Amino acid sequence: FIALLAAFITFIMRFTGRITKPLQDLTKVAEQIGEGHYDHKLDYDEDDEIGILTRTFSRVTANLKSNITELNNLTKQLMLRQESLNALLDNMPALSFSKDAQTGTYLYCNQGFAEYAHKASPAQTVGLTDFDIFDPDTARHFAEDDKKALLMNTPYVFFEDVVDAVGNPRQF
């Protein structure tokens, strides 16, 4: 009886080991992928459910790694284009800025606009609104112009005489 029980226990341990070992391996790899390490290969070639799960997991991991690589490449390209655009806008003689259409908050401006706003750098202008920079009348005027521009389907190019942040007359 004891020999039969020992044989049964050995059989159960081997049988469950065939199931638990691949699942433990899969769990370890999943944890490593969760930490950003995508270069892992699972060695389980059986045609059972665990084999299907392992192969599917490997395909998903390969696709994820490919997508992350592509996303990183696109991010680098976008950053280079942004740097190029910033260099162009920073070095043009015209005042250049971009605002959030909903809030009127400055998202970007070039050095020329920062100087017009009497700020040392564009970074000191970003995040502000016209009402933070200019007197109330000038700020309202700019807010009205923004509304006109947003209603148009064509670029809004205009020249006007306004005062800067400290009241000096300027053509804008």
Side-chain angles (χ1 to χ4, degrees):
F1 175 76
I2 293 192
L4 183 60
L5 184 59
F8 180 71
I9 291 173
T10 303
F11 171 76
I12 294 296
M13 290 179 66
R14 285 187 184 180
F15 180 73
T16 58
R18 288 189 59 220
I19 295 172
T20 58
K21 172 77 169 91
L23 290 176
Q24 289 171 345
D25 293 345
L26 188 59
T27 301
K28 286 179 187 175
V29 169
E31 289 171 349
Q32 292 170 347
I33 289 170
E35 294 172 1
H37 307 288
Y38 304 102
D39 294 321
H40 296 283
K41 182 164 175 35
L42 293 165
D43 295 320
Y44 187 84
D45 296 327
E46 301 296 321
D47 286 329
D48 56 13
E49 290 82 3
I50 295 174
I52 293 169
L53 180 62
T54 300
R55 287 188 294 280
T56 302
F57 190 82
S58 293
R59 280 194 306 274
V60 168
T61 301
N63 289 338
L64 181 61
K65 181 180 178 182
S66 174
N67 289 342
I68 288 172
T69 299
E70 182 180 357
L71 182 60
N72 286 338
N73 290 337
L74 291 172
T75 300
K76 287 176 188 175
Q77 289 176 13
L78 183 61
M79 289 175 66
L80 289 172
R81 288 181 182 171
Q82 184 67 43
E83 289 172 11
S84 178
L85 178 60
N86 286 349
L88 173 69
L89 294 174
D90 286 342
N91 290 296
M92 65 188 307
L95 305 181
S96 178
F97 61 87
S98 176
K99 292 182 186 179
D100 180 279
Q102 301 299 319
T103 65
T105 301
Y106 285 95
L107 302 173
Y108 168 85
C109 76
N110 66 358
Q111 184 62 38
F113 185 85
E115 291 170 5
Y116 172 75
H118 287 271
K119 303 294 181 187
S121 71
Q124 292 179 341
T125 305
V126 171
L128 301 178
T129 67
D130 291 325
F131 293 93
D132 297 321
I133 298 171
F134 303 103
D135 66 83
D137 290 337
T138 302
R140 269 192 295 281
H141 177 77
F142 287 151
E144 289 171 14
D145 278 348
D146 292 345
K147 288 178 186 174
K148 288 179 195 174
L150 289 170
L151 293 173
M152 298 179 143
N153 291 328
T154 58
Y156 183 40
V157 179
F158 63 96
F159 298 92
E160 63 182 326
D161 294 317
V162 294
V163 294
D164 65 16
V166 293
N168 299 320
R170 300 273 302 261
Q171 187 175 53
F172 196 49

PDB file of all heavy atoms in Angstrom, residues 115-118 133-139 142 161-171:
ATOM      1  N   GLU A 115       9.561  89.674 -25.288  1.00  0.00           N
ATOM      2  CA  GLU A 115      10.041  91.047 -25.090  1.00  0.00           C
ATOM      3  C   GLU A 115       8.882  92.037 -25.175  1.00  0.00           C
ATOM      4  O   GLU A 115       8.819  92.999 -24.399  1.00  0.00           O
ATOM      5  CB  GLU A 115      11.136  91.369 -26.099  1.00  0.00           C
ATOM      6  CG  GLU A 115      12.411  90.595 -25.823  1.00  0.00           C
ATOM      7  CD  GLU A 115      13.441  90.703 -26.935  1.00  0.00           C
ATOM      8  OE1 GLU A 115      13.227  91.462 -27.914  1.00  0.00           O
ATOM      9  OE2 GLU A 115      14.469  90.006 -26.829  1.00  0.00           O
ATOM     10  N   TYR A 116       7.961  91.822 -26.123  1.00  0.00           N
ATOM     11  CA  TYR A 116       6.781  92.668 -26.251  1.00  0.00           C
ATOM     12  C   TYR A 116       5.969  92.637 -24.950  1.00  0.00           C
ATOM     13  O   TYR A 116       5.419  93.646 -24.515  1.00  0.00           O
ATOM     14  CB  TYR A 116       5.932  92.190 -27.435  1.00  0.00           C
ATOM     15  CG  TYR A 116       4.597  92.868 -27.535  1.00  0.00           C
ATOM     16  CD1 TYR A 116       4.496  94.175 -27.996  1.00  0.00           C
ATOM     17  CD2 TYR A 116       3.434  92.211 -27.168  1.00  0.00           C
ATOM     18  CE1 TYR A 116       3.267  94.816 -28.087  1.00  0.00           C
ATOM     19  CE2 TYR A 116       2.205  92.826 -27.255  1.00  0.00           C
ATOM     20  CZ  TYR A 116       2.128  94.130 -27.711  1.00  0.00           C
ATOM     21  OH  TYR A 116       0.918  94.755 -27.791  1.00  0.00           O
ATOM     22  N   ALA A 117       5.900  91.477 -24.325  1.00  0.00           N
ATOM     23  CA  ALA A 117       5.171  91.315 -23.067  1.00  0.00           C
ATOM     24  C   ALA A 117       6.021  91.723 -21.862  1.00  0.00           C
ATOM     25  O   ALA A 117       5.582  91.580 -20.724  1.00  0.00           O
ATOM     26  CB  ALA A 117       4.716  89.864 -22.921  1.00  0.00           C
ATOM     27  N   HIS A 118       7.231  92.215 -22.118  1.00  0.00           N
ATOM     28  CA  HIS A 118       8.170  92.627 -21.078  1.00  0.00           C
ATOM     29  C   HIS A 118       8.503  91.484 -20.122  1.00  0.00           C
ATOM     30  O   HIS A 118       8.505  91.633 -18.899  1.00  0.00           O
ATOM     31  CB  HIS A 118       7.680  93.871 -20.327  1.00  0.00           C
ATOM     32  CG  HIS A 118       7.793  95.098 -21.172  1.00  0.00           C
ATOM     33  ND1 HIS A 118       8.924  95.872 -21.213  1.00  0.00           N
ATOM     34  CD2 HIS A 118       6.933  95.652 -22.056  1.00  0.00           C
ATOM     35  CE1 HIS A 118       8.758  96.857 -22.071  1.00  0.00           C
ATOM     36  NE2 HIS A 118       7.548  96.743 -22.602  1.00  0.00           N
ATOM     37  N   ILE A 133      -0.927  89.714 -18.417  1.00  0.00           N
ATOM     38  CA  ILE A 133       0.207  90.447 -18.986  1.00  0.00           C
ATOM     39  C   ILE A 133      -0.119  91.919 -19.242  1.00  0.00           C
ATOM     40  O   ILE A 133       0.676  92.810 -18.912  1.00  0.00           O
ATOM     41  CB  ILE A 133       0.656  89.785 -20.312  1.00  0.00           C
ATOM     42  CG1 ILE A 133       1.123  88.351 -20.052  1.00  0.00           C
ATOM     43  CG2 ILE A 133       1.763  90.596 -20.982  1.00  0.00           C
ATOM     44  CD1 ILE A 133       1.382  87.541 -21.314  1.00  0.00           C
ATOM     45  N   PHE A 134      -1.286  92.171 -19.814  1.00  0.00           N
ATOM     46  CA  PHE A 134      -1.606  93.511 -20.305  1.00  0.00           C
ATOM     47  C   PHE A 134      -2.653  94.201 -19.436  1.00  0.00           C
ATOM     48  O   PHE A 134      -3.306  93.578 -18.612  1.00  0.00           O
ATOM     49  CB  PHE A 134      -2.115  93.422 -21.754  1.00  0.00           C
ATOM     50  CG  PHE A 134      -1.138  92.767 -22.681  1.00  0.00           C
ATOM     51  CD1 PHE A 134      -1.336  91.451 -23.097  1.00  0.00           C
ATOM     52  CD2 PHE A 134      -0.011  93.436 -23.116  1.00  0.00           C
ATOM     53  CE1 PHE A 134      -0.434  90.832 -23.945  1.00  0.00           C
ATOM     54  CE2 PHE A 134       0.898  92.829 -23.963  1.00  0.00           C
ATOM     55  CZ  PHE A 134       0.697  91.517 -24.378  1.00  0.00           C
ATOM     56  N   ASP A 135      -2.812  95.515 -19.674  1.00  0.00           N
ATOM     57  CA  ASP A 135      -3.860  96.255 -18.976  1.00  0.00           C
ATOM     58  C   ASP A 135      -5.219  95.714 -19.432  1.00  0.00           C
ATOM     59  O   ASP A 135      -5.312  95.089 -20.491  1.00  0.00           O
ATOM     60  CB  ASP A 135      -3.729  97.764 -19.251  1.00  0.00           C
ATOM     61  CG  ASP A 135      -4.002  98.098 -20.703  1.00  0.00           C
ATOM     62  OD1 ASP A 135      -5.184  98.233 -21.076  1.00  0.00           O
ATOM     63  OD2 ASP A 135      -3.019  98.198 -21.482  1.00  0.00           O
ATOM     64  N   PRO A 136      -6.270  95.934 -18.650  1.00  0.00           N
ATOM     65  CA  PRO A 136      -7.578  95.333 -18.959  1.00  0.00           C
ATOM     66  C   PRO A 136      -8.118  95.661 -20.353  1.00  0.00           C
ATOM     67  O   PRO A 136      -8.672  94.792 -21.019  1.00  0.00           O
ATOM     68  CB  PRO A 136      -8.506  95.877 -17.867  1.00  0.00           C
ATOM     69  CG  PRO A 136      -7.583  96.173 -16.725  1.00  0.00           C
ATOM     70  CD  PRO A 136      -6.289  96.616 -17.359  1.00  0.00           C
ATOM     71  N   ASP A 137      -7.951  96.899 -20.812  1.00  0.00           N
ATOM     72  CA  ASP A 137      -8.475  97.266 -22.145  1.00  0.00           C
ATOM     73  C   ASP A 137      -7.737  96.519 -23.251  1.00  0.00           C
ATOM     74  O   ASP A 137      -8.358  96.005 -24.182  1.00  0.00           O
ATOM     75  CB  ASP A 137      -8.361  98.782 -22.373  1.00  0.00           C
ATOM     76  CG  ASP A 137      -9.340  99.571 -21.506  1.00  0.00           C
ATOM     77  OD1 ASP A 137     -10.363  98.989 -21.079  1.00  0.00           O
ATOM     78  OD2 ASP A 137      -9.077 100.770 -21.268  1.00  0.00           O
ATOM     79  N   THR A 138      -6.422  96.484 -23.166  1.00  0.00           N
ATOM     80  CA  THR A 138      -5.636  95.777 -24.182  1.00  0.00           C
ATOM     81  C   THR A 138      -5.928  94.279 -24.138  1.00  0.00           C
ATOM     82  O   THR A 138      -6.095  93.640 -25.171  1.00  0.00           O
ATOM     83  CB  THR A 138      -4.123  96.037 -23.974  1.00  0.00           C
ATOM     84  OG1 THR A 138      -3.884  97.449 -24.024  1.00  0.00           O
ATOM     85  CG2 THR A 138      -3.298  95.345 -25.037  1.00  0.00           C
ATOM     86  N   ALA A 139      -6.047  93.730 -22.946  1.00  0.00           N
ATOM     87  CA  ALA A 139      -6.338  92.302 -22.803  1.00  0.00           C
ATOM     88  C   ALA A 139      -7.692  91.971 -23.413  1.00  0.00           C
ATOM     89  O   ALA A 139      -7.833  90.978 -24.135  1.00  0.00           O
ATOM     90  CB  ALA A 139      -6.293  91.901 -21.322  1.00  0.00           C
ATOM     91  N   PHE A 142      -7.399  91.975 -27.194  1.00  0.00           N
ATOM     92  CA  PHE A 142      -6.778  90.752 -27.703  1.00  0.00           C
ATOM     93  C   PHE A 142      -7.734  89.561 -27.608  1.00  0.00           C
ATOM     94  O   PHE A 142      -7.799  88.721 -28.511  1.00  0.00           O
ATOM     95  CB  PHE A 142      -5.480  90.442 -26.966  1.00  0.00           C
ATOM     96  CG  PHE A 142      -4.334  91.347 -27.328  1.00  0.00           C
ATOM     97  CD1 PHE A 142      -3.339  91.612 -26.411  1.00  0.00           C
ATOM     98  CD2 PHE A 142      -4.242  91.932 -28.577  1.00  0.00           C
ATOM     99  CE1 PHE A 142      -2.266  92.431 -26.731  1.00  0.00           C
ATOM    100  CE2 PHE A 142      -3.179  92.762 -28.918  1.00  0.00           C
ATOM    101  CZ  PHE A 142      -2.192  93.014 -27.984  1.00  0.00           C
ATOM    102  N   ASP A 161      -2.240  98.916 -34.171  1.00  0.00           N
ATOM    103  CA  ASP A 161      -1.476  99.704 -33.218  1.00  0.00           C
ATOM    104  C   ASP A 161      -2.040  99.434 -31.828  1.00  0.00           C
ATOM    105  O   ASP A 161      -3.228  99.651 -31.572  1.00  0.00           O
ATOM    106  CB  ASP A 161      -1.569 101.194 -33.556  1.00  0.00           C
ATOM    107  CG  ASP A 161      -0.895 101.515 -34.878  1.00  0.00           C
ATOM    108  OD1 ASP A 161       0.201 100.981 -35.113  1.00  0.00           O
ATOM    109  OD2 ASP A 161      -1.472 102.276 -35.676  1.00  0.00           O
ATOM    110  N   VAL A 162      -1.195  98.932 -30.948  1.00  0.00           N
ATOM    111  CA  VAL A 162      -1.585  98.627 -29.567  1.00  0.00           C
ATOM    112  C   VAL A 162      -0.451  99.048 -28.648  1.00  0.00           C
ATOM    113  O   VAL A 162       0.642  99.374 -29.099  1.00  0.00           O
ATOM    114  CB  VAL A 162      -1.898  97.126 -29.367  1.00  0.00           C
ATOM    115  CG1 VAL A 162      -3.131  96.723 -30.147  1.00  0.00           C
ATOM    116  CG2 VAL A 162      -0.712  96.277 -29.735  1.00  0.00           C
ATOM    117  N   VAL A 163      -0.706  98.987 -27.369  1.00  0.00           N
ATOM    118  CA  VAL A 163       0.347  99.276 -26.405  1.00  0.00           C
ATOM    119  C   VAL A 163       0.887  97.955 -25.873  1.00  0.00           C
ATOM    120  O   VAL A 163       0.181  96.951 -25.812  1.00  0.00           O
ATOM    121  CB  VAL A 163      -0.157 100.164 -25.252  1.00  0.00           C
ATOM    122  CG1 VAL A 163      -0.535 101.541 -25.779  1.00  0.00           C
ATOM    123  CG2 VAL A 163      -1.316  99.521 -24.528  1.00  0.00           C
ATOM    124  N   ASP A 164       2.172  97.953 -25.472  1.00  0.00           N
ATOM    125  CA  ASP A 164       2.769  96.735 -24.919  1.00  0.00           C
ATOM    126  C   ASP A 164       2.439  96.638 -23.432  1.00  0.00           C
ATOM    127  O   ASP A 164       1.610  97.388 -22.915  1.00  0.00           O
ATOM    128  CB  ASP A 164       4.272  96.679 -25.199  1.00  0.00           C
ATOM    129  CG  ASP A 164       5.054  97.786 -24.499  1.00  0.00           C
ATOM    130  OD1 ASP A 164       4.526  98.429 -23.567  1.00  0.00           O
ATOM    131  OD2 ASP A 164       6.225  97.992 -24.873  1.00  0.00           O
ATOM    132  N   ALA A 165       3.076  95.734 -22.758  1.00  0.00           N
ATOM    133  CA  ALA A 165       2.739  95.440 -21.360  1.00  0.00           C
ATOM    134  C   ALA A 165       2.979  96.609 -20.405  1.00  0.00           C
ATOM    135  O   ALA A 165       2.392  96.659 -19.333  1.00  0.00           O
ATOM    136  CB  ALA A 165       3.516  94.214 -20.887  1.00  0.00           C
ATOM    137  N   VAL A 166       3.833  97.551 -20.789  1.00  0.00           N
ATOM    138  CA  VAL A 166       4.073  98.700 -19.908  1.00  0.00           C
ATOM    139  C   VAL A 166       3.534  99.995 -20.503  1.00  0.00           C
ATOM    140  O   VAL A 166       3.843 101.084 -20.015  1.00  0.00           O
ATOM    141  CB  VAL A 166       5.584  98.837 -19.562  1.00  0.00           C
ATOM    142  CG1 VAL A 166       6.036  97.675 -18.697  1.00  0.00           C
ATOM    143  CG2 VAL A 166       6.423  99.002 -20.785  1.00  0.00           C
ATOM    144  N   GLY A 167       2.722  99.876 -21.572  1.00  0.00           N
ATOM    145  CA  GLY A 167       2.046 101.067 -22.102  1.00  0.00           C
ATOM    146  C   GLY A 167       2.720 101.749 -23.267  1.00  0.00           C
ATOM    147  O   GLY A 167       2.245 102.787 -23.720  1.00  0.00           O
ATOM    148  N   ASN A 168       3.811 101.197 -23.797  1.00  0.00           N
ATOM    149  CA  ASN A 168       4.478 101.785 -24.944  1.00  0.00           C
ATOM    150  C   ASN A 168       3.713 101.450 -26.224  1.00  0.00           C
ATOM    151  O   ASN A 168       3.308 100.311 -26.421  1.00  0.00           O
ATOM    152  CB  ASN A 168       5.902 101.267 -25.080  1.00  0.00           C
ATOM    153  CG  ASN A 168       6.752 101.611 -23.871  1.00  0.00           C
ATOM    154  OD1 ASN A 168       6.655 102.700 -23.326  1.00  0.00           O
ATOM    155  ND2 ASN A 168       7.572 100.669 -23.439  1.00  0.00           N
ATOM    156  N   PRO A 169       3.503 102.445 -27.127  1.00  0.00           N
ATOM    157  CA  PRO A 169       2.792 102.143 -28.371  1.00  0.00           C
ATOM    158  C   PRO A 169       3.651 101.234 -29.278  1.00  0.00           C
ATOM    159  O   PRO A 169       4.864 101.442 -29.398  1.00  0.00           O
ATOM    160  CB  PRO A 169       2.564 103.510 -29.017  1.00  0.00           C
ATOM    161  CG  PRO A 169       3.463 104.445 -28.295  1.00  0.00           C
ATOM    162  CD  PRO A 169       3.877 103.832 -27.002  1.00  0.00           C
ATOM    163  N   ARG A 170       3.014 100.239 -29.873  1.00  0.00           N
ATOM    164  CA  ARG A 170       3.688  99.310 -30.780  1.00  0.00           C
ATOM    165  C   ARG A 170       2.737  98.933 -31.896  1.00  0.00           C
ATOM    166  O   ARG A 170       1.511  98.987 -31.740  1.00  0.00           O
ATOM    167  CB  ARG A 170       4.073  98.018 -30.052  1.00  0.00           C
ATOM    168  CG  ARG A 170       5.000  98.151 -28.872  1.00  0.00           C
ATOM    169  CD  ARG A 170       6.472  98.132 -29.218  1.00  0.00           C
ATOM    170  NE  ARG A 170       6.926  96.957 -29.906  1.00  0.00           N
ATOM    171  CZ  ARG A 170       7.544  95.920 -29.351  1.00  0.00           C
ATOM    172  NH1 ARG A 170       7.792  95.923 -28.055  1.00  0.00           N
ATOM    173  NH2 ARG A 170       7.938  94.905 -30.070  1.00  0.00           N
ATOM    174  N   GLN A 171       3.287  98.542 -33.032  1.00  0.00           N
ATOM    175  CA  GLN A 171       2.448  97.981 -34.088  1.00  0.00           C
ATOM    176  C   GLN A 171       2.517  96.479 -33.981  1.00  0.00           C
ATOM    177  O   GLN A 171       3.599  95.897 -33.931  1.00  0.00           O
ATOM    178  CB  GLN A 171       2.869  98.436 -35.483  1.00  0.00           C
ATOM    179  CG  GLN A 171       1.871  97.982 -36.517  1.00  0.00           C
ATOM    180  CD  GLN A 171       2.177  98.500 -37.898  1.00  0.00           C
ATOM    181  OE1 GLN A 171       3.280  98.323 -38.379  1.00  0.00           O
ATOM    182  NE2 GLN A 171       1.190  99.129 -38.523  1.00  0.00           N
TER     183      GLN A 171
END
